[in-house]
């Protein structure tokens, strides 16, 4: 177990450094091809939508990793169902907030990219199949699957920025990465993706998650 944990530290550290460096490099490259206005438009979207999605981090994945259910396929499908429900709620919330944001800022050009960015929520929700690899401490498999999203996003964003797509390069790169990550995660899923609902499990996740939601809400406020 000590060797496995030490190996996990090395793998996770290496991936974190590599992917953070990739994001940093993307920022510098894109800045060379976008005007300040174009970069600012996406910045407004990132700040507004990112603040909302911060509230979504209520620990469903953490609770799934913690559980000790004798039927792990059932446990995954329950967590998957809850994650989809939560993501669906925030997708509706974002779709409602984007027009409001356009009105508050008085910037009509925010509407279309804001609505397109919301598709990334779907992609991230469908990346849930990487959770079992994390739970089993198969860090190399987990991190390899998770790397698809930022790598595809990097390639698409840079390619479109060079082609002159402006802030749409960032929007399409974000969505493309999340959907590509979802596709790979679904193919590699160790369990069938099925919806399963049990009220008792929902209450267990709720008791675990509400303090995290309260903390996130306090941070947003």
């Amino acid at each position: 177990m000590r060797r496995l944990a030490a190996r996990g530290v090395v793998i996770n550290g290496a991936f974190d450094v590599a992917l953070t460096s990739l994001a940093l490099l993307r920022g510098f490259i894109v800045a060379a091809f976008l005007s300040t206005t174009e970069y600012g438009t996406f910045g407004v979207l990132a700040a507004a939508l990112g603040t909302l999605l911060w509230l979504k981090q209520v620990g469903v994945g953490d609770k799934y990793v913690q559980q000790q259910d004798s039927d792990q396929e059932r446990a995954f499908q329950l967590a998957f169902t809850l994650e989809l429900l939560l993501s669906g709620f925030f997708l509706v919330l974002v779709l409602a907030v984007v027009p409001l944001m356009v009105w508050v800022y008085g910037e009509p050009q925010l509407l279309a990219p804001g609505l397109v960015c919301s598709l990334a929520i779907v992609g991230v929700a469908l990346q849930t199949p990487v959770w079992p690899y994390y739970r089993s401490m198969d860090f190399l498999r987990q991190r390899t699957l998770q790397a698809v999203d930022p790598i595809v996003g990097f390639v698409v964003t840079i390619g479109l920025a060079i082609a002159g797509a402006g802030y749409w390069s960032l929007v399409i790169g974000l969505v493309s990465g999340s959907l590509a990550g979802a596709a790979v995660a679904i193919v590699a899923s160790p369990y069938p993706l099925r919806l399963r609902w049990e009220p008792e499990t929902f209450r267990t996740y709720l008791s675990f998650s509400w303090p995290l939601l309260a903390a996130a809400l306090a941070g947003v406020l």
Side-chain angles (χ1 to χ4, degrees):
M1 182 62 71
R2 286 195 297 270
R3 286 197 299 270
L4 186 61
R7 182 170 180 265
V9 170
V10 173
I11 291 173
N12 287 318
F15 271 89
D16 280 342
V17 170
L19 296 178
T20 301
S21 300
L22 192 67
L24 180 66
L25 181 62
R26 181 190 61 189
F28 276 102
I29 295 175
V30 169
F33 293 95
L34 269 64
S35 68
T36 54
T37 300
E38 290 172 326
Y39 218 116
T41 298
F42 184 78
V44 170
L45 288 172
L49 302 184
T51 299
L52 285 176
L53 295 180
W54 190 15
L55 295 174
K56 183 177 174 293
Q57 308 308 313
V58 294
V60 175
D62 295 327
K63 180 59 180 175
Y64 165 75
V65 170
Q66 182 194 63
Q67 53 79 32
Q68 297 291 335
D69 199 306
S70 59
D71 185 347
Q72 282 302 305
E73 179 176 320
R74 166 182 166 276
F76 168 74
Q77 290 170 350
L78 287 168
F80 174 68
T81 301
L82 290 171
E83 181 67 13
L84 284 186
L85 287 173
L86 186 63
S87 297
F89 170 78
F90 275 93
L91 176 60
V92 172
L93 180 61
V94 167
L95 291 176
V97 165
V98 168
L100 177 63
M101 180 179 63
V102 170
W103 176 72
V104 169
Y105 281 95
E107 298 288 350
Q109 72 269 22
L110 294 174
L111 181 61
L115 295 177
V116 174
C117 279
S118 67
L119 296 175
I121 300 174
V122 179
V124 172
L126 293 176
Q127 293 178 31
T128 304
V130 304
W131 291 356
Y133 295 108
Y134 181 39
R135 186 179 184 280
S136 63
M137 299 181 74
D138 187 352
F139 299 116
L140 182 59
R141 181 69 164 164
Q142 173 213 356
R143 287 297 200 163
T144 301
L145 292 172
Q146 287 180 325
V148 172
D149 183 338
I151 290 174
V152 170
F154 176 88
V155 173
V156 172
T157 299
I158 298 304
L160 290 177
I162 294 173
Y167 59 75
W168 279 103
S169 62
L170 292 161
V171 173
I172 296 174
L174 173 68
V175 175
S176 298
S178 68
L179 295 179
V184 171
I186 290 170
V187 171
S189 178
Y191 305 117
L193 299 184
R194 294 175 184 165
L195 298 179
R196 189 188 289 258
W197 177 257
E198 294 180 6
E200 181 60 35
T201 301
F202 171 75
R203 287 191 289 270
T204 300
Y205 274 83
L206 180 62
S207 66
F208 179 87
S209 297
W210 77 259
L212 300 176
L213 178 61
L217 181 60
V220 169
L221 292 176

